[in-house]
């Protein structure tokens, strides 16, 4: 079958050192807190230079118009489209729950020239490949030029020339803008970014613990700080969740939305908030179960990017980022610890009743 290749390339100036920007592009696991559209990145294989990744992205945030259109964009550095659905068991491509796409990609890292070469095979049109390269060129000690070139090959029967070109051009501009915005605050990253985890030991089966964490729709009747929960799971393992909680200081109600990716066989639930509280620019996390011979250790991990401009309006004039970090960590940790404690009670009390 004949094919048509759509290629485009653009550059943009970034107010950050070239090494910082390259490091951000190379460290795909941190994209959920840097890039709005990315839900989760799983590294499947890595030899120090070449890697194989699985990506999940929000179709709406990626700017996709019609998810079934093979001209629609994919995630930064892994351009693609949204085709056949894929649940938590695997599969390539897909609009999951109408909003989340997933696919596999290969990347080659070139730190010596600050370039990332990528390739993704289209799941909707087998044999069609999207490839390209991110490049970073120094333009001074604290500035650089970021480039993105993409080439997308589609069967002629599927390729609307003008429409595909417009989508490709818009996609490249959008990706460059996302990276530029995130990298522009590189000097504050040490203060804006925080990662932490809470753990609890449970003398009960991992299956009961996972079931409690998975059934988030039941939390309003079980978890005191959860007032309301709405859950949509159009594709098994992909939950779109909206919550009203009162875990924030003062007990005021905070509304959030999130996408949760559920992996029951691995004992993991990863999530990305798509609507965050005022102080939080980005929040992703994971519930993971580590079973042993007599029970399970449950870990609640968080990655957070603070919203600097909200600190003074929310916490008061003169409040610094270090105080804001402590504030956000305390409230998120309190909420996850309470949830873990109730998961422990659920699993251990069920086991006692069954004995």
């Amino acid at each position: 079958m004949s094919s048509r290749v759509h290629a485009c390339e653009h550059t943009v100036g970034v107010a950050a050192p070239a090494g910082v920007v390259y490091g951000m592009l190379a460290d795909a696991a941190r994209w959920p807190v840097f890039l709005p559209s990315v839900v989760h990145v799983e590294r499947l294989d890595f030899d120090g230079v070449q890697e194989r990744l699985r990506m999940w992205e929000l179709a709406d945030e990626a700017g996709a118009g019609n998810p079934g259109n093979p001209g629609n964009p994919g995630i930064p550095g892994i351009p693609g489209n949204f085709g056949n659905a894929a649940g938590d068991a695997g599969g390539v491509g897909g609009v999951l729950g109408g909003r989340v796409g997933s696919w596999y990609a290969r990347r080659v890292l070139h730190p010596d020239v600050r370039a990332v070469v990528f390739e993704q095979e289209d799941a909707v049109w087998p044999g069609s490949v999207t490839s390209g390269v991110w490049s970073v060129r120094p333009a001074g000690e604290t500035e650089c030029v970021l480039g993105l070139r993409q080439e997308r090959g589609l069967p002629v029967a599927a390729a609307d020339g003008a429409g595909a070109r417009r989508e490709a051009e818009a996609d490249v501009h959008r990706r460059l803008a996302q990276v530029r915005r995130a990298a522009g605050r590189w000097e504050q990253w040490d203060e804006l970014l925080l990662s932490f985890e809470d753990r609890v030991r449970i003398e009960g089966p991992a299956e009961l613990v996972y079931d409690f964490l998975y059934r988030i729709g039941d939390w309003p009747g079980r978890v005191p700080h959860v007032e309301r929960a709405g859950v949509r799971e159009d594709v098994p393992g992909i939950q779109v969740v909206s919550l009203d909680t009162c875990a924030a200081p003062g007990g005021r109600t905070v509304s959030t939305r999130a996408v949760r990716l559920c992996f029951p066989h691995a004992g993991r639930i990863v999530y990305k908030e798509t609507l965050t509280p005022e102080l939080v620019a980005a929040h992703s996390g994971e519930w993971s179960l580590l079973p042993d011979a007599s029970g399970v250790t449950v870990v609640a991990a968080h990655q957070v990017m603070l919203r600097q401009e909200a600190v003074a309006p929310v916490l008061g004039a003169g409040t610094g980022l270090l105080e804001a970090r402590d504030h956000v960590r305390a409230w998120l940790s309190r909420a996850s610890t309470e949830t873990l404690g109730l998961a422990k009670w659920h699993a251990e009390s069920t086991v006692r009743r069954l004995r």
Side-chain angles (χ1 to χ4, degrees):
M1 179 182 293
S2 61
S3 63
R4 177 181 296 157
V5 176
H6 295 283
C8 57
E9 182 174 8
H10 292 285
T11 61
V12 66
V14 180
V20 169
V21 176
Y22 172 79
M24 176 182 165
L25 294 172
D27 189 4
R30 298 180 73 186
W31 285 359
V33 294
F34 284 126
L35 305 176
S37 62
V38 180
V39 175
H40 182 58
V41 180
E42 192 90 2
R43 177 181 274 170
L44 305 177
D45 189 28
F46 185 50
D47 65 4
V49 176
Q50 300 184 59
E51 63 182 353
R52 185 168 180 262
L53 306 173
R54 186 177 181 187
M55 316 292 224
W56 287 262
E57 184 188 27
L58 298 169
D60 295 345
E61 291 290 342
N66 172 8
N69 183 346
N72 279 338
I75 64 176
I78 314 293
N81 56 66
F82 304 91
N84 299 325
D88 79 326
V92 184
V95 173
L96 306 177
R99 295 192 59 200
V100 182
S102 170
W103 47 82
Y104 296 95
R106 292 183 298 276
R107 304 201 312 167
V108 182
L109 308 181
H110 297 279
D112 52 335
V113 294
R114 299 189 182 94
V116 179
V117 179
F118 57 85
E119 181 179 280
Q120 177 207 338
E121 184 167 344
D122 194 315
V124 180
W125 303 99
S128 298
V129 174
T130 298
S131 61
V133 58
W134 285 98
S135 61
V136 187
R137 177 167 50 85
E141 291 186 1
T142 59
E143 295 185 347
C144 66
V145 176
L146 173 66
L148 173 58
R149 175 176 175 80
Q150 292 185 170
E151 294 183 357
R152 180 176 298 144
L154 292 173
V156 171
D160 168 12
R165 279 194 298 273
R166 285 194 299 270
E167 287 283 358
E169 293 282 338
D171 183 34
V172 169
H173 284 297
R174 186 163 43 243
R175 303 312 180 182
L176 291 170
Q178 284 190 6
V179 175
R180 179 174 60 180
R181 281 195 298 270
R185 292 189 169 184
W186 68 277
E187 292 181 291
Q188 287 81 42
W189 280 354
D190 285 345
E191 295 176 294
L192 294 175
L193 291 168
L194 62 151
S195 300
F196 60 95
E197 63 181 38
D198 297 298
R199 292 172 174 248
V200 66
R201 169 73 186 166
I202 299 176
E203 302 294 333
E207 293 80 5
L208 289 176
V209 179
Y210 183 89
D211 182 72
F212 182 92
L213 297 173
Y214 170 77
R215 296 183 182 278
I216 192 171
D218 296 337
W219 285 9
R222 294 178 167 185
V223 181
H225 71 261
V226 179
E227 299 174 343
R228 184 195 63 83
V231 182
R232 193 179 82 240
E233 190 171 349
D234 297 335
V235 173
I238 309 295
Q239 296 178 333
V240 179
V241 178
S242 61
L243 292 178
D244 290 342
T245 69
C246 58
R252 64 188 181 88
T253 298
V254 174
S255 297
T256 61
R257 288 197 298 271
V259 173
R260 303 207 318 165
L261 309 175
C262 304
F263 305 92
H265 298 298
R268 300 171 62 211
I269 298 174
V270 299
Y271 62 87
K272 161 83 172 267
E273 286 191 350
T274 59
L275 174 66
T276 58
E278 302 97 317
L279 283 172
V280 177
H283 178 204
S284 65
E286 177 174 344
W287 304 95
S288 56
L289 280 62
L290 309 174
D292 56 42
S294 60
V296 60
T297 298
V298 190
V299 182
H302 301 267
Q303 292 189 72
V304 179
M305 171 82 80
L306 298 180
R307 182 175 286 117
Q308 186 174 10
E309 59 271 23
V311 171
V314 174
L315 299 180
T319 304
L321 282 173
L322 291 179
E323 295 170 276
R325 288 167 61 89
D326 291 341
H327 176 89
V328 170
R329 175 168 184 164
W331 123 52
L332 291 177
S333 183
R334 183 166 55 248
S336 60
T337 300
E338 180 179 64
T339 304
L340 290 175
L342 290 163
K344 175 182 175 73
W345 177 87
H346 171 74
E348 292 181 348
S349 63
T350 300
V351 169
R352 285 194 297 270
R353 289 195 300 268
L354 293 174
R355 283 174 178 167

